[in-house]
């Protein structure tokens, strides 16, 4: 099957490209390279033995998208492209609504024009907002608390409306928890510009000595050790979840709109992640506990029952392995 991956050069898209290509799908990457580098394609070629097609373009360019869908006889789309930094979304909300919401609108217009109606969308656990209960299941009320989260929720709702209007659509919104780690080759991974916002890349840079110490945001949460608890999921498990969602959309009973959590179901505290990273790298990760980060919740982790029951998918990689792969990538990445 020929599958278009918008944002396919980015962190999660590039790992999904490997998973899909390795089982024989033809992947077409479509990316404006606003947060990624074209040389990822040559690194994908080293992993796969062939280079996937890259079309350099923006998801808001409906014409180019339609042309790409036709040229490559695309049957399904995985939509990773978008902006993802919460803080930036507060400072530049219009950029977020434009890229994430308008971008998705342009994409589904192009898909409809070309008769492509299978879509896997990169959503986020952030659509749940402050947890009212744990673990978070897909029935938990949605209430996004920042422009990034709202842009994801708007897209989910738009896609749900679209599926109601036309029964031919098959749409899976995948609500990722905290993706971390990298491909076992160490050739692709997360390479944030500037200071990392997320915990794992920050820890990795402290371990290499690029940054002095980690600031642990809050030591007085109502959690076993007082630090924030999250559901970290390895990026290759996440990629497998996309393949499972794609297979599901091919089933007779998959018409309509569906939401699935992609998480492990297990929460780990910041201090647990630091300790696991120290074990994985053999390096010291100095840290200091500072004030809570505004907007953070104490704990967030998934119920992954729905994905297990309906997609037949569950995460398998444990925290230590996540840290080992993140460390391997960090060492390669420094040489790129
Ligand atoms: P990423 O920034 O590494 O990848 C996104 C890719 O999309 C980049 O290559 C970027 O160049 C491209 N892109 C951005 N805007 C575009 C546009 N208008 N047109 C074409 N290409 C565009 O991010 P990622 O971590 O791989 O995330 C992928 C998706 O998953 C995003 O939609 C993100 O919101 C979502 N998500 C990520 C996380 C996470 O922690 N990484 C968590 C939940 C959800
Ligand atoms: N965190 C931290 N220091 C950092 C970055 C993150 O203590 O430099 C904490 C954060 O408060 C949260 C956890 O690590 O408890 C995961 O944060 P991240 O930004 O990676 O993910 P998210 O907040 O989106 O779940």
């Amino acid at each position: 099957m020929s599958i278009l991956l918008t944002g396919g050069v980015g962190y999660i898209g590039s790992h999904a490209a490997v998973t899909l290509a390795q089982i024989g799908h033809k992947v077409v990457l479509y990316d404006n390279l606003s947060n990624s580098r074209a040389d990822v394609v040559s690194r994908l070629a080293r992993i796969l033995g062939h280079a996937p097609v890259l079309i350099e373009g923006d998801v808001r360019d409906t014409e180019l998208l339609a042309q790409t869908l036709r040229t490559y006889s695309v049957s399904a789309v995985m939509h990773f492209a978008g902006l993802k930094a919460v803080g930036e979304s507060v400072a530049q909300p219009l950029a977020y609504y434009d890229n994430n919401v308008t971008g998705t609108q342009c994409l589904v217009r192009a898909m409809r024009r070309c008769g492509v109606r299978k879509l896997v969308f990169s959503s986020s656990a952030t659509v749940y907002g402050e947890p009212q209960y744990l673990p978070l299941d897909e029935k938990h009320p949605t209430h996004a608390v920042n422009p990034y989260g709202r842009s994801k929720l708007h897209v989910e709702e738009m896609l749900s409306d679209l599926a109601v209007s036309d029964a031919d659509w098959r749409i899976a919104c995948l609500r990722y928890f905290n993706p971390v780690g990298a491909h076992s080759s160490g050739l692709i991974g997360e390479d944030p510009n500037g200071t990392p916002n997320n915990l794992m890349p920050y820890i990795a840079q402290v371990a290499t000595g690029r940054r002095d110490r980690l600031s642990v945001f809050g030591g007085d949460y109502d959690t076993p050790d007082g630090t924030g608890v999250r559901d970290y999921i390895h990026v290759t498990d996440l990629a497998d979840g996309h393949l499972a969602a794609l297979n599901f959309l091919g089933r007779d009973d998959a018409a309509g709109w569906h939401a699935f959590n992609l998480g492990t179901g297990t929460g780990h505290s910041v201090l647990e992640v630091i300790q696991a990273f120290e074990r994985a790298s053999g390096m010291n990760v100095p840290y200091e506990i500072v004030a809570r980060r505004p907007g953070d919740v104490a704990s967030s982790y998934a119920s992954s029952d729905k994905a297990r029951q309906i997609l037949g998918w569950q995460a398998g990689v444990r925290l230590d392995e996540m840290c080992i792969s993140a460390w391997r990538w960090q060492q390669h990445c420094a040489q790129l």
Side-chain angles (χ1 to χ4, degrees), residues 178 197-199 202 214-217 228-230 232 270 293 296:
N178 289 60
N197 293 311
N198 295 112
L199 180 66
Y202 203 108
L214 173 76
S215 296
V216 175
F217 299 139
V229 167
R230 296 290 183 276
Y232 298 94
V270 175
R293 184 170 63 178
D296 272 357

Side-chain angles (χ1 to χ4, degrees), residues 242-266:
H242 286 72
L243 175 60
L246 178 73
N247 292 339
F248 163 70
L249 293 183
R251 276 173 24 188
D252 290 344
D253 59 346
W257 179 95
H258 313 267
F260 295 101
N261 286 341
L262 294 187
T264 63
T266 302

Side-chain angles (χ1 to χ4, degrees), residues 61-114:
D61 186 343
T62 308
E63 291 306 319
L64 182 60
L65 275 169
Q67 188 189 322
T68 307
L69 292 171
R70 283 198 200 97
T71 303
Y72 295 97
S73 304
V74 168
S75 312
V77 175
M78 293 192 179
H79 181 32
F80 299 95
L83 304 181
K84 62 169 184 177
V86 171
E88 187 183 63
S89 80
V90 175
Q92 302 173 36
L94 297 184
Y96 275 68
Y97 288 112
D98 194 31
N99 264 274
N100 297 0
V101 182
T102 309
T104 307
Q105 205 175 351
C106 294
L107 170 66
V108 291
R109 280 217 174 93
M111 290 174 69
R112 187 169 58 183
R113 199 189 294 171
C114 300

Side-chain angles (χ1 to χ4, degrees), residues 7 9-13 30-36 57-60 79-84 99 122-124 148 152 176-177 179 190:
V9 183
Y11 171 45
I12 300 169
Y30 184 100
D31 202 301
N32 68 0
L33 304 180
S34 59
N35 197 36
S36 51
D58 196 289
V59 282
R60 290 161 294 184
H79 181 32
F80 299 95
L83 304 181
K84 62 169 184 177
N99 264 274
S122 297
S123 189
S124 167
Y148 167 67
K152 290 287 174 192
Y176 311 160
F177 278 68
E190 187 175 16

Side-chain angles (χ1 to χ4, degrees), residues 2-327:
S2 178
I3 304 159
L4 184 82
L5 275 61
T6 75
V9 183
Y11 171 45
I12 300 169
S14 58
H15 287 82
V18 170
T19 298
L20 295 168
Q22 279 178 335
I23 63 149
H25 289 304
K26 179 177 172 58
V27 298
V28 178
L29 312 181
Y30 184 100
D31 202 301
N32 68 0
L33 304 180
S34 59
N35 197 36
S36 51
R37 291 166 29 177
D39 68 354
V40 166
V41 176
S42 56
R43 286 183 261 137
L44 286 172
R46 284 174 63 190
I47 297 171
L48 295 171
H50 69 275
V53 174
L54 167 62
I55 306 297
E56 204 175 322
D58 196 289
V59 282
R60 290 161 294 184
D61 186 343
T62 308
E63 291 306 319
L64 182 60
L65 275 169
Q67 188 189 322
T68 307
L69 292 171
R70 283 198 200 97
T71 303
Y72 295 97
S73 304
V74 168
S75 312
V77 175
M78 293 192 179
H79 181 32
F80 299 95
L83 304 181
K84 62 169 184 177
V86 171
E88 187 183 63
S89 80
V90 175
Q92 302 173 36
L94 297 184
Y96 275 68
Y97 288 112
D98 194 31
N99 264 274
N100 297 0
V101 182
T102 309
T104 307
Q105 205 175 351
C106 294
L107 170 66
V108 291
R109 280 217 174 93
M111 290 174 69
R112 187 169 58 183
R113 199 189 294 171
C114 300
V116 180
R117 286 190 174 77
K118 280 194 199 121
L119 176 64
V120 178
F121 171 62
S122 297
S123 189
S124 167
T126 191
V127 298
Y128 294 120
E130 175 94 38
Q132 293 175 13
Y133 58 84
L134 289 167
L136 290 158
D137 60 23
E138 291 81 352
K139 293 194 181 108
H140 187 284
T142 49
H143 176 65
V145 294
N146 55 59
Y148 167 67
R150 277 190 281 277
S151 74
K152 290 287 174 192
L153 198 48
H154 286 351
V155 171
E156 284 205 2
E157 288 167 347
M158 175 173 75
L159 295 176
S160 168
D161 289 341
L162 184 64
V164 169
S165 75
D166 174 352
D168 286 340
W169 281 95
R170 290 156 177 264
I171 299 171
C173 292
L174 304 183
R175 295 174 175 166
Y176 311 160
F177 278 68
N178 289 60
V180 296
H183 188 259
S184 56
S185 63
L187 288 167
I188 53 171
E190 187 175 16
D191 189 10
N193 290 326
T195 309
N197 293 311
N198 295 112
L199 180 66
M200 188 72 88
Y202 203 108
I203 289 180
Q205 292 191 8
V206 173
T208 59
R210 195 165 146 197
R211 302 196 183 271
D212 288 345
R213 71 173 64 80
L214 173 76
S215 296
V216 175
F217 299 139
D220 57 353
Y221 283 111
D222 184 15
T223 59
D225 65 20
T227 66
V229 167
R230 296 290 183 276
D231 186 338
Y232 298 94
I233 173 166
H234 194 254
V235 65
T236 57
D237 273 337
L238 204 59
D240 289 345
H242 286 72
L243 175 60
L246 178 73
N247 292 339
F248 163 70
L249 293 183
R251 276 173 24 188
D252 290 344
D253 59 346
W257 179 95
H258 313 267
F260 295 101
N261 286 341
L262 294 187
T264 63
T266 302
H268 290 288
S269 73
V270 175
L271 296 186
E272 283 178 322
V273 178
I274 294 172
Q275 285 154 11
F277 205 96
E278 288 185 331
R279 282 195 298 276
S281 63
M283 309 300 280
N284 199 17
V285 178
Y287 67 87
E288 66 176 328
I289 297 186
V290 300
R292 294 180 179 189
R293 184 170 63 178
D296 272 357
V297 300
S299 295
S300 169
Y301 50 91
S303 159
S304 43
D305 291 354
K306 186 175 174 191
R308 192 177 60 251
Q309 285 158 11
I310 298 180
L311 303 182
W313 168 91
Q314 64 183 349
V317 179
R318 301 173 71 86
L319 182 62
D320 280 320
E321 186 59 37
M322 298 181 204
C323 294
I324 289 168
S325 71
W327 177 236

